[in-house]
């Protein structure tokens, strides 16, 4: 661990320590601050990523978790990484890096505060109540600026904070980006047909037709909660997951060791759905289950079948969310194809700092223009939702 002493005026004395490995923090301390309701924030999730070799210096994800001490008390943690690239983040800054390169400047390394490979809103500031109460947005930004600089980073980026963290990050004249995702909300539906009944007739018929066409191809679905997930199913799922990336000429971010660790240490929050045809598994999707949210994250297949992606990743997920009584279904990034299936537009946020003043000004102008476009897009999407007006 590295101790980078830092202080901010009007904030009780803080000592900021950088943990270069998840092993430098105890699971009990981490989970006391993170809670266990969000599967992506648990100690076990970050340990699985690091111990499987997915988030290491060799992969460009060098752990640099920020630990905030007030005296001897660990009062907060921010999961963080010192990165040498921008892959696996889902808030795209490739253009910023390219602009730096054109001027002969180094954009990397950068300090990233996020859940790796996971475009999901949630807590990023794992602070106890006393620390959260003592910090102002300006003080927090100054702390993060100092931490990034002392780590030799040219910028920092905090991605997908939830509403509570957003309030603590919301400082004027700071770099703030917006994005848009599509989430499905459970309005106390009794079952999938009850959900369909809230849609317009045309959309209801379209979804029923898609589901019927999947069934007519002889495809059925098998569900495997994490505690009941056998090795051969996990093996098949991992092959499907890899195929998603290899088809695009990319190397998969996650390996089988990661998925096995997820099963071994968070089985109650893991759920795999496999598509089966003629007794053979042909596709699969992995879901994680939070306190009130279903997260659909990883999917893959070897051969394409009509509407199979929509059925496996969305309709099966909606049914699972209704069955579990979950309030929300977050099916990941991207999504106009989700809109017509009842997923609603939601603004997402990220906060940034870049050391170079000229680029900071240019990026601020870009973020302001982008935010206007994003909000117009969100408003247009709201108008295009497939729900009946009398719902």
């Amino acid at each position: 661990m590295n101790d980078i002493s830092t202080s901010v005026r009007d904030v009780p004395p803080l000592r900021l320590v950088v943990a270069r490995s998840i092993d430098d923090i105890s699971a009990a301390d981490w989970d006391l601050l993170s809670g266990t309701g969000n599967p992506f924030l648990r100690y076990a999730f970050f340990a699985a990523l690091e111990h499987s070799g997915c988030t290491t210096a060799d992969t460009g994800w060098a752990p640099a978790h920020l630990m905030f001490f007030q005296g001897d008390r660990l009062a907060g943690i921010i999961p963080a990484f010192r990165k040498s690239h921008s892959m696996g983040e889902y808030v795209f800054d490739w253009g910023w890096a390219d602009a730096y390169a054109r001027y002969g400047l180094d954009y990397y390394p950068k300090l990233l505060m996020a859940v790796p490979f996971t475009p999901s809103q949630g807590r990023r500031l794992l602070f106890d109540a006393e620390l959260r109460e003592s910090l102002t947005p300006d003080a927090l930004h100054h702390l993060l600026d100092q931490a990034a600089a002392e780590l030799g980073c040219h910028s920092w980026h905090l991605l997908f904070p939830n509403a509570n963290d957003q309030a603590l990050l919301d400082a004027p004249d700071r770099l703030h980006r917006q994005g848009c995702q599509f989430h499905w909300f459970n309005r106390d539906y009794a079952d999938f047909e009850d959900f369909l009944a809230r849609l317009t007739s045309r959309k209801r018929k379209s979804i029923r037709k898609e589901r019927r066409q999947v069934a007519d191809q002889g495809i059925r679905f098998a569900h495997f909660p994490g505690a009941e997930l056998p090795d051969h199913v996990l093996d098949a799922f991992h092959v499907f997951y890899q195929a998603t990336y290899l088809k695009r000429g990319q190397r998969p971010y996650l390996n089988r060791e990661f998925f096995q660790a997820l099963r071994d240490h968070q089985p109650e929050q893991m759920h795999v759905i496999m598509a089966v045809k003629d007794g053979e598994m042909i596709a699969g999707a992995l879901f994680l289950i939070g306190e009130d949210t279903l997260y659909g994250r990883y999917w893959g297949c070897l051969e394409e079948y009509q509407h199979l992606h929509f059925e496996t990743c969305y309709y099966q997920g909606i049914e699972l969310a209704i069955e579990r009584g979950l309030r929300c279904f977050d099916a990941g990034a991207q999504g106009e194809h989700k809109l017509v299936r009842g997923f609603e537009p939601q603004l997402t946020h990220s906060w940034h700092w870049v050391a170079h003043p000229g680029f900071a000004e240019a990026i601020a102008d870009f973020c302001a223009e982008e935010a206007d476009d994003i909000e117009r897009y969100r408003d247009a999407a709201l108008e295009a939702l497939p729900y009946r007006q009398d719902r």
Side-chain angles (χ1 to χ4, degrees), residues 149-170:
E150 292 191 43
L151 284 167
C153 295
H154 305 295
S155 62
W156 65 253
H157 311 263
L158 192 150
L159 313 184
F160 301 109
N162 68 1
N164 287 339
D165 284 355
Q166 175 71 3
L168 189 52
L169 288 158
D170 195 358

Side-chain angles (χ1 to χ4, degrees), residues 1 22-36 41-44 66-69 72-78 123 126-128:
M1 291 191 288
I22 191 72
D23 297 330
D24 292 335
I25 310 173
S26 78
D29 284 344
W30 183 295
D31 284 343
L32 181 64
L33 292 166
S34 70
T36 57
L41 296 179
R42 292 178 62 176
Y43 183 92
L66 305 183
M67 305 171 67
F68 294 77
F69 287 88
D72 293 330
R73 180 176 65 87
L74 178 60
I77 295 172
I78 303 180
R123 293 176 63 204
L126 309 183
F127 294 168
D128 68 13

Side-chain angles (χ1 to χ4, degrees), residues 227-294:
E228 302 170 17
L229 180 62
D231 283 344
H232 76 279
V233 174
L234 185 60
D235 290 338
F237 168 76
H238 183 240
V239 170
F240 298 144
Y241 163 78
Q242 289 180 302
T244 299
Y245 288 86
L246 296 175
K247 289 174 184 176
R248 305 178 196 147
Q250 294 179 246
R251 181 178 178 179
Y253 294 128
L254 302 170
N255 54 34
R256 191 193 182 285
E257 289 76 15
F258 166 77
F259 291 113
Q260 181 170 329
L262 201 62
R263 180 192 64 181
D264 293 346
H265 299 290
Q266 295 178 249
E268 75 285 0
Q269 293 181 303
M270 185 179 186
H271 193 100
V272 171
I273 299 177
M274 301 296 281
V276 181
K277 178 178 171 65
D278 299 328
E280 298 290 333
M281 291 179 285
I282 60 170
L286 184 147
F287 300 81
L288 291 174
I289 299 169
E291 189 172 16
D292 65 356
T293 301
L294 178 68

